[in-house]
Amino acid sequence: MSKIDKPIIYEIKYNKTDISNLTNDINLKIDEKYNLIINYPTVYIIDDMQNKGKYFIYVGETNDIVRRTLEHIGNERNRQDWFEINNSKTANMYIIGHKHFNKSLTLDIENKLMLYLTSVSSVAKVNNRRTNQQGNYYTSDEFEEIFSKMWKELGKKNKKLFPVEQIVKDSALFKASPFHKLTNEQKNARLLIMNKINFSLNRNKSNVNENGELIIISGEAGAGKTVLMSSIFFELQNEPELLDEVYLLVNHDQQYKVYLEIAKKLGIKKELVSKPTHFINTHTKKKARIVLIDEAHLLLTQGKQSYRGKNQLYDILKEADLVVAVFDENQILTTEQLWEAEELYNLRKKAIQKNNFIRLKNQLRINADATTVKWIRNLIDDGNISKIPKNDSCQYEIKIFDNPIQMYRSIQFKNNSQEKGISRLVATYDWEYKLNSQKDQEPWMVKIGDFEMPWNLQLRTSTGVQYKDVSWAEQPQTIHEVGSTYTVQGFDLNYVGVIIGPSVKYRKGHIIYDPAASKNLKATRNRTLKNGEKQKFGETFLKNELNVLLTRGVNGLYIYAVDDQLQKALKNAEL
């Protein structure tokens, strides 16, 4: 039984009268524990529900709650980020105290509250945008428990504003938030990048037509690349000299939604978050200072439809002083994203020579020991299926199912558990599907024997609610759909059930790939190389597709394989 006390939460109306009387009101209380609010450092949350039931929020910490909040009402009344709350008649304030609070602990609590509250669907805007992540300090070992107890107590007061923690953690906004506490590896990478950015901004270019400098961030799926990118983007947005000159680009519909929503909640102009084609087509009059590209392996390396250029990365480098690009060649999925080997080698070599190549090695998504992660990597990278590791200390679950119906039922069970979080079924692109169209007025289906389920982005919600700003996995009806690489790439799922279709086979002791069995034409069609030669890269792209799908699960990976020999090898690996 933990001996750490629950935090004290004192709720008052946010107005000058109630705040001025706070000390007297607390002194009149019989329970002396409320003196923590006056005599110790505190964390506070100011909220105001405005139009459409959405909250405007401010999070802060202080050593003098009365003085600090009166400053908000007085001196800061005309600040833009305070205007909505200070001119409201319905604003409310939660003051949080604990006998173990010190400056470092309250700064960490403040930062994590911003992480959580920006991820809550009922919050429209969070006004305080600073990050103050602390290192080790006295009572740092108590931080997580104190925060969890505090969040539960806040939830008792307002479930809409403070939902259970797992609901918050399931949000795609949470997983991409700039307020995550960075690992040492991520901190070192950010420091290097920020130093490069500062040098780039301070140097005088002799040639205004010079292409921008390129920094490459590399790492496998789940290495923490998106959080690092989000953190850098947010930090640069708070630099006054870079106002409106830092852009974040991503060529992925679902991830684009997430970044737009983060920008909206933090008061960042939506124009600074863009798709690459839109940026290239519109940003021609003035160079951007800094461009950050998440999932840069999804950039186009040939023209198509609205993009008439030859290589999006090269075009972006022409329009920026410095470009920071997250790149994982093992997540390239289509011929239009292909980099020829020599060109990719030269790009990486040039970055290494300039000390502009950063590789993240830690695995942050998969909550498993090194042996389990190695089993997954060996299957993907080498095509080998060894015995599935059994480790009682590892909570990560790998399970092979006899049929997709059983696997789906288990995924549903995990998804319906509030403690387990969002879980979804996904599959290799081996069943016919065309986005934004239906086949004979019926959804495109994944069919295996008695199992039949629609592909992603087809079902409507039973309530008629639209989720246009929410990622695929977060939409409740998608538990009854099968996801693909195009909807889950870059996202976490608590448990993922992977249907490995007939394009992935097991022959002579190894996994092989059969492009003829795939329905993913973008992966299996010819690509015309620079020398005019037409070549197929289907086996590489199908391997990358499997890589994306098998690395989505945080706490569990469920598998069913259509190929009999592959299914048998996987089942034998469980014994």
Side-chain angles (χ1 to χ4, degrees), residues 409-422:
R409 287 171 180 165
S410 293
I411 287 294
Q412 275 188 306
F413 176 78
K414 295 295 187 184
N415 185 71
N416 292 337
S417 170
Q418 213 169 51
E419 295 179 355
K420 298 299 182 183
I422 292 178

Side-chain angles (χ1 to χ4, degrees), residues 12 259 300 345:
I12 65 172
Y259 280 126
L300 302 179
Y345 172 81

